[in-house]
Each structure stands twice: as structure tokens, then as C-alpha cells.
Amino acid sequence: MDIFLQQIINGLVQGSIYALVALGYTMVYGIMGLINFAHGEVVMIGTLVTITVAGLLIKVGMPVALAGLAGLIAAILCCMALGWGLERIAYRPLRNAPRLTPLITAIGMSIVLQNLAMIIWGRNYLTFPPLLPKMDFEFAGANFTLVQVVIVLVSAATMGGLLFLVYRTKLGMAMRATSQNPAVASLMGVNINRVIAAAFVIGSALGAVAGVMVGTYYEIAHYQMGFMLGLKAFTAAVLGGIGNLAGAMLGGVLLGLIEALGAGYIGDLTGGFLGSHYQDIFAFVVLIVVLMFKPSGLFGEKTGDRA
Amino acid sequence: MLEVTGLHVAYGGIQAVRSITFHVKEGELVALIGANGAGKTSTLKAIARVIDAVGGDVHFCGEKISRLPPHDIIRKGIALVPEGRGVFPRLTVAENLAMGAFVRDDKAGIANDIEKMYAYFPRLKERETQLAGTLSGGEQQMLAIGRALMSRPKLLLLDEPSMGLAPIMVQKIFEVVRAVAAEGMTTLLIEQNAKLALEVSQRAYVMESGEVTLNGESAQLLNDPKVRAAYLGE
Ligand SMILES: Nc1ncnc2c1ncn2[C@@H]1O[C@H](COP(=O)(O)OP(=O)(O)O)[C@@H](O)[C@H]1O
Ligand SMILES: [Mg+2]
């Protein structure tokens, strides 16, 4: 029973990170039907920028909390600029190309960004500066840390902010209208290019927040870390129904829970044959099962609901 | 007010509109009629800049608009009700109307105009919070017209508002089209239903295979034997 609650907590934390990253995939897909495979790399760059900026500020004597905040803001700004640039330089020229072309470009951009990060930050693992005090809590026999609490709260608040933007502001309404019928949205006066750019920029900002949380959680970062994280977040988006915001959130949390529970019980289930380090297989089992039996995901409609 | 000169539209090798010229004066309700495939929708789309014309010019209130990006057309005062309605299916009725006022910033005026649309189409008021995709075809047409009027256009372009609707719905929608025109809205109406279009309009152009073949007072065209034979099923 203890391990169950413990894994629920771990899954919730991991899941809220997946959810934030998954939103970046789903927003872009919802607006323009593109799977931006470079999104995981945007998250990675957010983590590495924070290491550099917060690390430097701590070294020159700034209080850790302030340095962390500055690192977060720097990561958000860098990732927003990166998302904007990706759309502008890599994808916009391909707007009317066959669907496969921008997809291959996205994979190409992901490789370009990885190599760029390797040149800037090197090949080695980097230590993420501890931005939050170490504090442990106990609840019904399960343990959790302050970092875990902050991750869940920050990602819930960020997602709340996104929902407010999309469902309560004029820009959000224009984004929803554009995803449903771009030609008619432009007749209403919506500049489609701006809405698409906004989807990239907002998705990248969410990715930056996720990147900082990943760094804080694992205390380590690397130029290749965006690959697996991106793939899992993409799985989460597909699980929820790609293009659907609520789907990405739910899919992320669900995937986190499946992985954590899977990792917790895989040893017992296989009689010790497979250990918890096999937890990565769960994401891909989920992806394959969803694609086989319900490719439109939990929230997706047959026509592909694009929120 | 609207001057179309030598407008030419092609899709690859298909010549959809071959150099047509026509105009709409302020306060007029002008009809553009013709059989399916004559090039009516292509003409409207080119005016609204949803598609690029191959040649020709469009002037509106003396200004050349045929090179503007599509999202600037409504800012000049032209609103298009597209063929097949084009409502945003997963926005509510109220949100669709608000989208029509996307280029406006006067909150009070917008709220006022939304009520005005509900007065034109009480059915929309009843469906206010429903997703537009759940409305019937006729209700969607009402919504598309209301949405276009929400921008307070100087010129309203209507692409086959009667398409696929029951006669009673068509009647309701045309009552509003008439009322809006009577209040002074300059309107260009496209219709396959020639009788209906000629009855509500003052002037009309007849299109055939991408060209204007006839034009004149609607009342006269209604009595023209050629028109009667080709478009009124006599
Ligand atoms: N997107 C398109 N691609 C290729 N041909 C088209 C397209 N849209 C219309 N056409 C062709 O252009 C011609 C005019 O079509 P359209 O303007 O829709 O006529 P109407 O509105 O009078 O029925 C038709 O021959 C039609 O097949
Ligand atoms: Mg047509």
C-alpha cells in the first residue's frame, strides 16, 4: 500500500512535467497540423540556459531564490525567441508544402539544436544548481519533497494560465477560430501568421518552465535530455488526443502515473525478471496501444478535435 | 463603391473566372447569378483575397484592394459570408458573433450589436451558449450572416445563403437580407436560386463559364425570355 501512494505521488510530479511539455506539441498541432519534433530540444535549451544564468548569478553572490527566478525568466525568454525563430525560419516557408516535408524539417531542427547545445554547453552532464531548499514531508507513509510540491503547483498554475488565455482572451479565441477554420478566421481579420507564431511562442514558454522543473527535479542536465522527454510528452499528447489542450494535460498526468506505477510493480509482475529501470518501456507500450486501438486519443474526435 | 475590372481567376489550368468587370454602387443590392461552376464563388473569394487573382483589379471606395492580405479586407469594410457558412464549429454562437467583431474594440458597441443580431435572428439567442457545430444548416446560415454584420461592414458579400436550406428557412433568411439592405447596407448577393435573387435585388449580373453574359435591372431580367429559359426553369 505504501509503495502505491508513493508511486502515485512520483507519477503526479513526473506527469505534470510531461503535461507542460505535451501542451507545446498539442498547441502547434492544433493550429497547423504539424508535429514539432524539435520541441523537446527547446525544453532542453531552457534547462541549460537556467544552469548558465542561475549558476552565474549564484556565483556572483545573488540570493539563490532570486538567481533561480532570473534563470527561469531567462529560460522563458530564450525559449520563446527560439520557438518564434523555428516557426519563422524552418516551418513558415514550408506552410504549403506536403505534410511530410515540415515533419522531416522538424526532425532536422531537433538535430541542429542538439548539436548547437553540445557546442555551447559541451558533451558532459551538467549539475543543475539547487534552487529550492531541501525539505521532506511525510503523508500516510509516503514521502515527498518541497521540489515535488512546487513542481505540481507551478505546473497547475501555468496550465490554469494557459486555459485562461485560450478560453477567456481575444487572442485565445482567435487561436481557437484559426485552428477550426483558418481561411474564415482571416476573413474576420485574424492575421494567421501571428496566431501560428503565438502558438509556437506560448508552447515554448511552457516548455521552458518544464525545462527548469526537470532540472530542479533531477539536478542534472545534458544536451540529449530533450529527446526522451520530448518523445514521452509527444506520447502523452497522443494519449490525450493530439490537438486537444485538456487532452495533453490529462495525457501527461496519466502517462506519469502509468510509468510510476509500472516501475513500482514491474519487478513483482515479472518475478524480478525486469527491474524498475525498464520504466521507459511503458510510455512506448502506451503509444503503440493508443495508436492501434484509439489513434484519436482519449479526448480526440474522429475529425481530429483541435482546441 | 466596389469596382471589379478584368478580374481573372485560375486554378492551375482551369480558368474559373475570365476577365469579368462589374460594379456595385453605394446602397445597392446587386445579385450575381449563374449555374453551378460558373465562377461566382471564385469571384467573391478573389475580392475578399482568400485566393489570388491571376489578373485584374478590385477597387473599393476608390482604393485598390486587390493586393491586400486577406485579414485587412474586413478592416476596409468588406464582410464575406462564405459559401457553406464557415461557422467555427467548436465556438459557441456568442463566440462566433464575437469573432465577427474581431477588428472592433468598442466593447459596449459590440454587446449592443450582438443583441441586434439576436433581434434579427431570435433563434440564435435561444442557442447562444451552444456550439455552432450543433446548429442546423439554417441556423448556421443565420449565424454566418450575423457574424459578418458584427464587423459593421460597408459592403456585405453573401455567397449562396439559400444553399441546401428548406424553403421556410430561406424565407426567414431573405427577410433579414432584405431588412438589412433596406437599412442601407450595400450588398452583393450570389445565388443559384435566380428567381429569389432577382426578386430581392435592384440590378443583377448573369455569369456563365467564368464570364458575365448579361446584366441589367433585376425586374427586366426576371422577364427576359433567355433568363427565364436558362435560370427560371421555363
Ligand atoms: N479549389 C479549386 N481547385 C480547382 N478548381 C476549382 C476550385 N474551386 C473551384 N474550381 C473550379 O472553378 C470553377 C468555378 O467554380 P466556383 O467559383 O466555385 O463556381 P460557382 O460558385 O459559380 O459554383 C468550376 O469549374 C470549379 O470546378
Ligand atoms: Mg459557389
Side-chain angles (χ1 to χ4, degrees), chain B residues 9-12 14-17 34-43 45 51 83 159-160 190 192 207 210:
Chain B
V9 179
Y11 301 98
I14 303 168
Q15 310 293 314
V17 179
N36 192 14
K40 307 181 297 294
T41 296
S42 303
T43 302
K45 281 186 172 171
I51 53 173
E83 185 176 70
D159 196 345
E160 295 213 37
I190 281 191
Q192 258 191 80
M207 258 185 111

Side-chain angles (χ1 to χ4, degrees), chain A residues 8-17 20 144-159 213 217 253:
Chain A
I8 293 278
I9 291 172
N10 294 345
L12 213 56
V13 174
Q14 188 62 54
S16 47
I17 294 172
L20 272 191
F144 54 96
T145 64
L146 179 65
V147 170
Q148 290 183 312
V149 175
V150 170
I151 286 175
V152 172
L153 291 182
V154 169
S155 86
T158 310
M159 289 192 263
M213 299 199 309
Y217 197 30
V253 172

Side-chain angles (χ1 to χ4, degrees), chain A:
Chain A
M1 194 61 210
D2 285 357
I3 171 180
F4 180 75
L5 188 60
Q6 188 66 56
Q7 293 307 77
I8 293 278
I9 291 172
N10 294 345
L12 213 56
V13 174
Q14 188 62 54
S16 47
I17 294 172
Y18 290 155
L20 272 191
V21 181
L23 283 167
Y25 284 97
T26 237
M27 285 181 75
V28 165
Y29 185 86
I31 296 261
M32 58 187 299
L34 166 75
I35 294 164
N36 175 21
F37 274 119
H39 185 58
E41 273 60 46
V42 173
V43 176
M44 170 269 293
I45 288 187
T47 314
L48 296 182
V49 164
T50 309
I51 292 185
T52 301
V53 172
L56 204 74
L57 291 174
I58 290 171
K59 210 181 270 171
V60 300
M62 189 183 267
V64 172
L66 263 180
L69 195 65
L72 174 68
I73 290 169
I76 290 175
L77 293 178
C78 281
C79 290
M80 285 167 91
L82 187 59
W84 182 85
L86 274 179
E87 192 275 323
R88 197 64 248 263
I89 295 163
Y91 303 130
R92 193 178 298 184
L94 303 174
R95 195 73 62 74
N96 297 315
R99 276 172 89 100
L100 194 58
T101 314
L103 199 66
I104 290 169
T105 305
I107 294 169
M109 288 322 289
S110 138
I111 296 168
V112 167
L113 291 179
Q114 274 191 34
N115 282 279
L116 200 68
M118 187 186 74
I119 292 168
I120 299 175
W121 284 282
R123 299 170 168 278
N124 298 324
Y125 280 88
L126 301 173
T127 319
F128 195 92
L131 300 176
L132 291 168
K134 295 243 177 292
M135 272 165 81
D136 293 303
F137 306 93
E138 211 212 293
F139 173 74
N143 296 305
F144 54 96
T145 64
L146 179 65
V147 170
Q148 290 183 312
V149 175
V150 170
I151 286 175
V152 172
L153 291 182
V154 169
S155 86
T158 310
M159 289 192 263
L162 179 73
L163 288 177
F164 180 85
L165 177 92
V166 170
Y167 289 100
R168 289 282 177 274
T169 68
K170 204 168 163 179
L171 172 64
M173 190 167 68
M175 293 175 86
R176 286 182 290 143
T178 302
S179 78
Q180 294 171 29
N181 194 335
V184 176
S186 75
L187 283 176
M188 306 288 121
V190 177
N191 184 338
I192 303 301
N193 283 334
R194 283 214 197 130
V195 167
I196 291 176
F200 272 88
V201 167
I202 295 166
S204 301
L206 300 177
V209 174
V212 176
M213 299 199 309
V214 173
T216 312
Y217 197 30
Y218 294 104
E219 299 172 350
I220 205 164
H222 187 240
Y223 75 97
Q224 283 177 331
M225 64 182 270
F227 176 73
M228 189 57 97
L229 180 60
L231 215 51
K232 287 188 181 171
F234 169 68
T235 303
V238 171
L239 172 62
I242 191 150
N244 185 299
L245 294 184
M249 297 179 188
L250 190 82
V253 172
L254 217 54
L255 185 66
L257 290 174
I258 291 170
E259 263 190 11
L261 291 174
Y265 291 105
I266 189 170
D268 294 347
L269 289 177
T270 59
F273 180 67
L274 296 176
S276 63
H277 49 281
Y278 276 91
Q279 71 160 342
D280 285 348
I281 66 167
F282 292 103
F284 305 108
V285 169
V286 166
L287 183 60
I288 290 163
V289 169
V290 172
L291 289 179
M292 276 172 66
F293 296 104
K294 196 160 189 320
S296 57
L298 297 174
F299 278 68
E301 288 165 8
K302 277 188 293 285
T303 49
D305 187 35
R306 298 165 165 196

Side-chain angles (χ1 to χ4, degrees), chain B residues 12 20 42-44 63 72 74 90 103 114 116 119-120 143 150 156 169-170 194-195 208 216 229 231:
Chain B
I20 69 164
S42 303
T43 302
L44 274 204
E63 188 187 349
D72 279 343
I74 196 166
R90 287 179 305 283
V103 293
I114 288 189
K116 198 167 153 192
Y120 281 140
L143 181 56
M150 283 302 296
L156 182 64
M169 263 308 172
V170 174
K195 183 163 183 291
E208 245 172 273
Y231 299 104

Side-chain angles (χ1 to χ4, degrees), chain B residues 117-192:
Chain B
M117 296 312 135
Y118 289 153
Y120 281 140
F121 302 114
R123 190 72 75 86
L124 294 183
K125 173 81 182 167
E126 294 163 26
R127 306 264 187 273
E128 195 173 5
T129 58
Q130 228 169 288
L131 295 184
T134 65
L135 301 183
S136 74
E139 290 163 350
Q140 291 191 10
Q141 189 64 62
M142 294 173 178
L143 181 56
I145 293 174
R147 183 180 62 182
L149 292 173
M150 283 302 296
S151 66
R152 292 208 176 156
K154 294 184 200 139
L155 171 66
L156 182 64
L157 308 176
L158 293 167
D159 196 345
E160 295 213 37
S162 75
M163 191 202 252
L165 301 185
I168 176 102
M169 263 308 172
V170 174
Q171 200 185 326
K172 270 187 195 165
I173 282 161
F174 271 76
E175 264 168 35
V176 174
V177 170
R178 243 186 250 266
V180 170
E183 286 171 30
M185 177 67 68
T186 312
T187 308
L188 176 60
L189 168 68
I190 281 191
E191 264 301 337
Q192 258 191 80

